[in-house]
Amino acid sequence: MRTGIWLVGARGSVAVTSVVGALALRAGLVEPTGCVTELPALRSPALPGYADLVFGGHDIAPTPIVKKAEALAAAGVLPARLVTALPDELASVEDEIRPVPAAARQADVIAALVADLTSFRHRHRLDRVVVVNVSATEPAPAPHPGHTDLAALEQALTTGATVLPPSSAYAYAAFTAGCSFVDFTPSTGARLPALAELAQRERVPYAGHDGKTGETLVKSVLAPMFALRNLKVRTWSGVNLLGGGDGANLAEPAANAAKAASKQRVLGETLGYVPQGNTRIEYVDDIGDFKTAWDLITFSGFLGTAMRMEFTWHGCDSALAAPLVLDLARLTATAHRTGRSGPLGELAFFFKDPLGTGPHSLPEQWATLCAFVRQLDADAFGAAVPPPVEQG
Amino acid sequence: MRTGIWLVGARGSVAVTSVVGALALRAGLVEPTGCVTELPALRSPALPGYADLVFGGHDIAPTPIVKKAEALAAAGVLPARLVTALPDELASVEDEIRPVPAAARQADVIAALVADLTSFRHRHRLDRVVVVNVSATEPAPAPHPGHTDLAALEQALTTGATVLPPSSAYAYAAFTAGCSFVDFTPSTGARLPALAELAQRERVPYAGHDGKTGETLVKSVLAPMFALRNLKVRTWSGVNLLGGGDGANLAEPAANAAKAASKQRVLGETLGYVPQGNTRIEYVDDIGDFKTAWDLITFSGFLGTAMRMEFTWHGCDSALAAPLVLDLARLTATAHRTGRSGPLGELAFFFKDPLGTGPHSLPEQWATLCAFVRQLDADAFGAAVPPPVEQG
Amino acid sequence: MRTGIWLVGARGSVAVTSVVGALALRAGLVEPTGCVTELPALRSPALPGYADLVFGGHDIAPTPIVKKAEALAAAGVLPARLVTALPDELASVEDEIRPVPAAARQADVIAALVADLTSFRHRHRLDRVVVVNVSATEPAPAPHPGHTDLAALEQALTTGATVLPPSSAYAYAAFTAGCSFVDFTPSTGARLPALAELAQRERVPYAGHDGKTGETLVKSVLAPMFALRNLKVRTWSGVNLLGGGDGANLAEPAANAAKAASKQRVLGETLGYVPQGNTRIEYVDDIGDFKTAWDLITFSGFLGTAMRMEFTWHGCDSALAAPLVLDLARLTATAHRTGRSGPLGELAFFFKDPLGTGPHSLPEQWATLCAFVRQLDADAFGAAVPPPVEQG
Amino acid sequence: MRTGIWLVGARGSVAVTSVVGALALRAGLVEPTGCVTELPALRSPALPGYADLVFGGHDIAPTPIVKKAEALAAAGVLPARLVTALPDELASVEDEIRPVPAAARQADVIAALVADLTSFRHRHRLDRVVVVNVSATEPAPAPHPGHTDLAALEQALTTGATVLPPSSAYAYAAFTAGCSFVDFTPSTGARLPALAELAQRERVPYAGHDGKTGETLVKSVLAPMFALRNLKVRTWSGVNLLGGGDGANLAEPAANAAKAASKQRVLGETLGYVPQGNTRIEYVDDIGDFKTAWDLITFSGFLGTAMRMEFTWHGCDSALAAPLVLDLARLTATAHRTGRSGPLGELAFFFKDPLGTGPHSLPEQWATLCAFVRQLDADAFGAAVPPPVEQG
Ligand SMILES: NC(=O)c1ccc[n+]([C@@H]2O[C@H](COP(=O)([O-])OP(=O)(O)OC[C@H]3O[C@@H](n4cnc5c(N)ncnc54)[C@H](O)[C@@H]3O)[C@@H](O)[C@H]2O)c1
Ligand SMILES: NC(=O)c1ccc[n+]([C@@H]2O[C@H](COP(=O)([O-])OP(=O)(O)OC[C@H]3O[C@@H](n4cnc5c(N)ncnc54)[C@H](O)[C@@H]3O)[C@@H](O)[C@H]2O)c1
Ligand SMILES: NC(=O)c1ccc[n+]([C@@H]2O[C@H](COP(=O)([O-])OP(=O)(O)OC[C@H]3O[C@@H](n4cnc5c(N)ncnc54)[C@H](O)[C@@H]3O)[C@@H](O)[C@H]2O)c1
Ligand SMILES: NC(=O)c1ccc[n+]([C@@H]2O[C@H](COP(=O)([O-])OP(=O)(O)OC[C@H]3O[C@@H](n4cnc5c(N)ncnc54)[C@H](O)[C@@H]3O)[C@@H](O)[C@H]2O)c1
Ligand code: NA
Ligand code: NA
């Protein structure tokens, strides 16, 4: 299954790490560390192979991806040897990156996006194209009546107005072009009733929101631990220090607020109550593409005894995100192929702020994901496939 | 169901916290924080109520439990108001604590232990008695042929020899007296083939080993997180600073080795490989009944990027252990009543070094425990009971 | 030397801990842990003894100090036995606490404050009275021409206007009544040119600002370490989680800004440049009278190698502040007696944001303080006193 | 002043980082970050410039230093660009590295070492040669009568016996060849009465022991902080996880014991009492040339309130050590030139376990060092030099 992955924000850290990694995997230069679809419990013949993936994308920035890859290597995000080993492959991806179309009317912008997607699919004879949003987080948009009703949205677009935030315009274009859509960012993306309607009409699936890679990942296993032991969490307070392009952007209060909210949701949903405390994000240029998060948890046990835990997480966000981008693209394309449409709540495992109402506990999300992949297999091959070996 | 809980080490921190807590729960003075059998998913009418519990036990120490309770209150382990509120109740438990019988021949010691248990059961007209080992951790015993074969063991005991370490003598006595047995410590306890044979013969169930209350509890959720995300853990190294009676004892190299081994098992079993690093235990008198553990985890992600996490856990061991002692006693007594015998692998959720070959991941252990409790219910009431509300 | 200590905010945590501690020291019930004037290098016969201290103060709150002391004991700030051991002594202090006078004209408020101070001095036949501000931090005041010029200030007060923030009104009253003044808070206090003029005219000394008790104390030794080793600090970013009355107040952005600024000054002054990063303060009710601060420091060494340090400080602010309040009162009263007036820059050791232009490195401030105390001795006794034993 | 620096362990991490750094400083490729003799308060015209330094040394290993430098670059210890920029300079140093002479009789080994040193001095027409021990830490030697008396030592050597541990043989050879000696390791080195005698006889100075680069550096500022605030430290317990060649070696119990002891000395000497707790060293291959240390400090304040602090230090040992090696060599050579001999207690600032009985507090050691450098200046130029600008 030749599968296109169209990256919105294709020149950014996550996108370029995903591209270098996929090319390196295809060339057999690295192990698939961090790719969850490579775990025994999730490995599936229904998913497209790395050799079947073709990359393209949009970005507003002009930096060539090989320059970005070199910068990421200098920052310790990926090994320099991979960049030098893959010059032709990177050049081919470079050829498929388009500037973001500009037009006075948003309808025209969307039409140009659709044209870029359609042309990409035809040029490479792709079975499926997944659009993955890994562009900079945008502020929450002002409400608009077109957001809640597809007819109203289409009508508003005919007036020439700019009704949708960029991430939602990409989702609109993706659905219109018959592409599935993954939102790895906390932006609005497909999260508007009008777009849900559109996805159903076009019979395409979508997934989101906001890749779960650091502090929230840890929360999604620690919060259940306290819950399962009937310990009462009193405070959960954290700070995220991060650099890189994403850090600078998230230091903007508007973008920050969206992100911080999706980071705390897991606590309320897992514990059944919201402990005291906040999650703050601070931009620290020196930390570069890494992130340092510190969390303090105070809790009480039997007879009220006060206890505490703290953790420091020092992760490389792009290295954590990129394999999940590949996983999500492979899973969503396969979901599309096997006839799924609408929100893929089964992919909650990957997200801070998942679509739907599923559990926020990582192990429960894992169980759901395993069942989903087994079902994809069954659907793809028209028969029950043997259950995979369990992952310890 | 009137249920006896016979505490080996009845004057120690865990035992006295368990006793004060159970009495306070019965009197409605506290919430059951930390008691997992009080979570909606595990609450069961088949379990004995707090008012049905009667406590007794053995200890080598002479300190009255009310004195120990006052010391625990001064150390911040439990509220002083509970000790003053329950004078008569504590005095009744005090009346049921016996010195450890002394005799030249181990067979005679065991016979005296059996007599203490039997007399406790008759005096209080108890349906079931659970013996719970919460005494000081003992060094690993020298091997003896009697350990692996019940006939050889019984034969050896007739010679007057001391064949069993104390914890196993307690297990032997418990089984002989028709009592179930829970080993909350890393000592040998029932973990000898000869004793497994005895438990089967006497048709009594048993559970163990080594209550999972601190660093290992955290490991049992963090290690699966790394595994489910296909991240490669390179180092996991930790230090446990602890005071209290247990700390002083564990600083002894022999006891320490037993404990440290059971603390690292979870990593190998969950990750499928053993990362570098050790777990060390150090006695620090000033930390008292609290424990501070620090763990460093280094791991690599996509394309080999090096990352790290560290956590500090500052817990009160007795406050974490005591509610689990009550949970275990209630569950084991009910298992006994519903006809179970032999090792209760379904209780792995509670232990660092569980009996059997089940998973070491906390969420998987939780699922097993939920199913077990539902089955106890069914068995106790002769019919399917409605599944309880799920716990977030 | 009978010395009065007049506490502004006399019913607050710091004030009550200071009072209980001084009474307990006088009664020989405790060691003077945390009192720096009890170190061999600073012990001085010129300072008033604990038996010479008489307490009084103002507060807007009505809670009796014995109630506050009991609450502090329940929160683990001080031992309950001290509160029960000192009923009469605490009652005597209670008798000397006055409500904050209310009047339409600020001049009349100040006159009433002066009357309270004068009456306190006469009633107890005190040689000296030190007014110590330990009341809630107030927002920075709007600028006013009367702040920079004493004549203009006096003129403005005659109009009935409210020209000064409360902390400065207390300083004004103290100076007018011939009392020295210590500002333990980050509020404006005596830090106005007009008040500096007044202190000089009335020939009284004053000290401030903002007691250095936690994260800033650590900074004042770690920042010099990096500087003396010629290591380049790149980021210093911290978060302070605190509860208690002070925490709730500091969570107000205006008060918070004053405090955060005084916390970062030490870095610029010690390192010679300001690294990236911020200090944030967050109110977490559950932490009570304790404070947890976490700081991340990234730095580079030889050939640019990137390194990092992080620390967590878990301190009881009142327990750290109270002995310094006693030290400052004893030192300032003695400075007054030996004829000093104006700002006491030599007391920078005690403050986050010290008056004057002295060094911010703790060891240098210590050396200055030692010399100052030796000079006080000399002045008090009209002759050289033997240099005290050096403190390791 | 042309100055030779003879590195014992010349192919090790610290040595090679020192060499690359000195060559890069000479070539103007880097800033002197981490070099304390480049701070305004210590900069001195009496010290040899980087262009005046000539390197040589002994090592038992055969790896060329350029290979080691490349490995250090790959590990992030130094920038790869420096290695490629300095090929000829590194080759010249390579030419001056000698294997460790082998002989049956220790006297012959020492004679060969002396010959190597003398030939190095003559070949490069060096005014002074400093021998710096940066070789692997050795176990403490068995006592021998020759250690305490020079005559006995010389006598014993004539018998052909091996009397001295290697580090002391190097010191013996250095003194005999008229070279000064710096021991950067915890090995015995010059720390034997017989060698003190020899140094005095040969009129050469020496410095040591054990470079203070990580956890102990932090202790040397934090311990005084607690002392100056009269806070009672109850526990100070730490763990050092380290990789690299030094880590593997220190994991040997004998070497480890020497190091751990020198790490705790600072506490006893600074606080005046020894708190509970230990410092442990653990080898973790994955950490490479970096080190992660974690320390927990519990302390009590006013009225006994219990508080705590913890810190994590993540440093690159070689990057911290190398600039100090250059500082020490420049200072010791100048001390030699200006006529000093015997132990240089004034260099305690640099060492975990300094010679002599000076203070262990970093700021006090700094003041001593400043005075020492000013005196070197005066002695070198025969007249008072203006005091340098103070360092904040
Ligand atoms: N890395 C992680 O762990 C992680 C986790 C969750 C979410 N995310 C989200 O992923 C996104 C990408 O992160 P990153 O670190 O790669 O950021 P980045 O700043 O390196 O890259 C973002 C890219 O988006 C481009 N861009 C901005 N506006 C655009 C537009 N309108 N159309 C097309 N391209 C546009 C930018 O030019 C840039 O190249 C962010 O929104 C981030 O919040 C990342
Ligand atoms: N608290 C926890 O979180 C936790 C977790 C896992 C395991 N454990 C284990 O629980 C046990 C109890 O811990 P604790 O903190 O209460 O210790 P403790 O030292 O306070 O109490 C142990 C008690 O056992 C008694 N004892 C010793 N030898 C005995 C014997 N032969 N027969 C009867 N009594 C004997 C002692 O006198 C003492 O009263 C320890 O083995 C510990 O390792 C505790
Ligand atoms: N505790 C520390 O370590 C520390 C360090 C530096 C500075 N401080 C400062 O010390 C002050 C006291 O701290 P705390 O923890 O005791 O706070 P707190 O809230 O417990 O006490 C403050 C007291 O001030 C009283 N008050 C408020 N406004 C007043 C007014 N106008 N006149 C008189 N009284 C008034 C309040 O009623 C309260 O009793 C704060 O400003 C704090 O920022 C404390
Ligand atoms: N790096 C630091 O921060 C620091 C701090 C204090 C002390 N030290 C000490 O500095 C020394 C060097 O540390 P490193 O990290 O460079 O270690 P390393 O293992 O990288 O280097 C040691 C070198 O010594 C050589 N060697 C061993 N025995 C020898 C002998 N008998 N004669 C000559 N050479 C010999 C080895 O071959 C190796 O090349 C160690 O003793 C260490 O404890 C280092
Ligand atoms: Na930490
Ligand atoms: Na920490």
Side-chain angles (χ1 to χ4, degrees), chain A residues 234-235 237 239 241 276-278 280 282-287 292-294 296 298 308 310 312 314, chain C residues 234-235 237 239 241 276-278 280 282-287 292-294 296 298 308 310 312 314:
Chain A
R234 301 178 61 89
T235 309
S237 209
V239 60
L241 306 178
Q276 286 188 60
N278 291 304
R280 256 120 346 114
E282 181 183 339
Y283 177 68
V284 177
D285 177 65
D286 185 51
I287 289 181
T292 294
W294 176 78
L296 174 71
T298 67
R308 55 178 29 226
E310 60 181 271
T312 305
H314 184 62
Chain C
R234 302 178 61 89
T235 309
S237 210
V239 60
L241 306 177
Q276 287 188 59
N278 291 303
R280 254 117 349 115
E282 182 183 338
Y283 177 68
V284 178
D285 178 64
D286 183 52
I287 289 182
T292 294
W294 175 78
L296 174 71
T298 67
R308 54 177 31 225
E310 60 181 272
T312 306
H314 184 62

Side-chain angles (χ1 to χ4, degrees), chain B residues 7-17 57-63 68 72 98-101 113 133-138 165-167 170 183-187 209-214 242-250 255 259 262 289 291 316-322 324-325 350-352:
Chain B
L7 299 160
V8 179
R11 303 189 183 288
S13 300
V14 172
V16 173
T17 307
H58 281 118
D59 204 304
I60 55 171
T63 329
K68 180 73 182 181
L72 290 167
R98 299 286 171 271
V100 176
L113 295 173
N133 182 18
V134 285
S135 70
T137 302
E138 66 195 22
S167 61
Y170 284 110
D183 205 334
F184 203 79
T185 83
S187 301
H209 284 265
D210 205 6
K212 178 161 67 184
T213 50
L242 66 170
D246 189 31
N249 183 53
L250 288 173
K259 195 93 174 189
S262 81
D289 288 279
K291 174 164 71 180
C316 175
D317 266 6
S318 301
L320 291 162
L324 305 182
V325 164
F350 294 97
F351 295 112
K352 283 197 198 71

Side-chain angles (χ1 to χ4, degrees), chain D residues 359-387:
Chain D
H360 277 253
S361 145
L362 192 75
E364 292 182 68
Q365 294 173 333
W366 168 255
T368 303
L369 179 61
C370 289
F372 180 64
V373 171
R374 253 169 262 139
Q375 195 54 50
L376 287 183
D377 270 348
D379 294 352
F381 299 107
V385 281

Side-chain angles (χ1 to χ4, degrees), chain A residues 354-366:
Chain A
L355 295 167
T357 57
H360 278 253
S361 145
L362 193 74
E364 292 182 69
Q365 293 173 334
W366 169 255

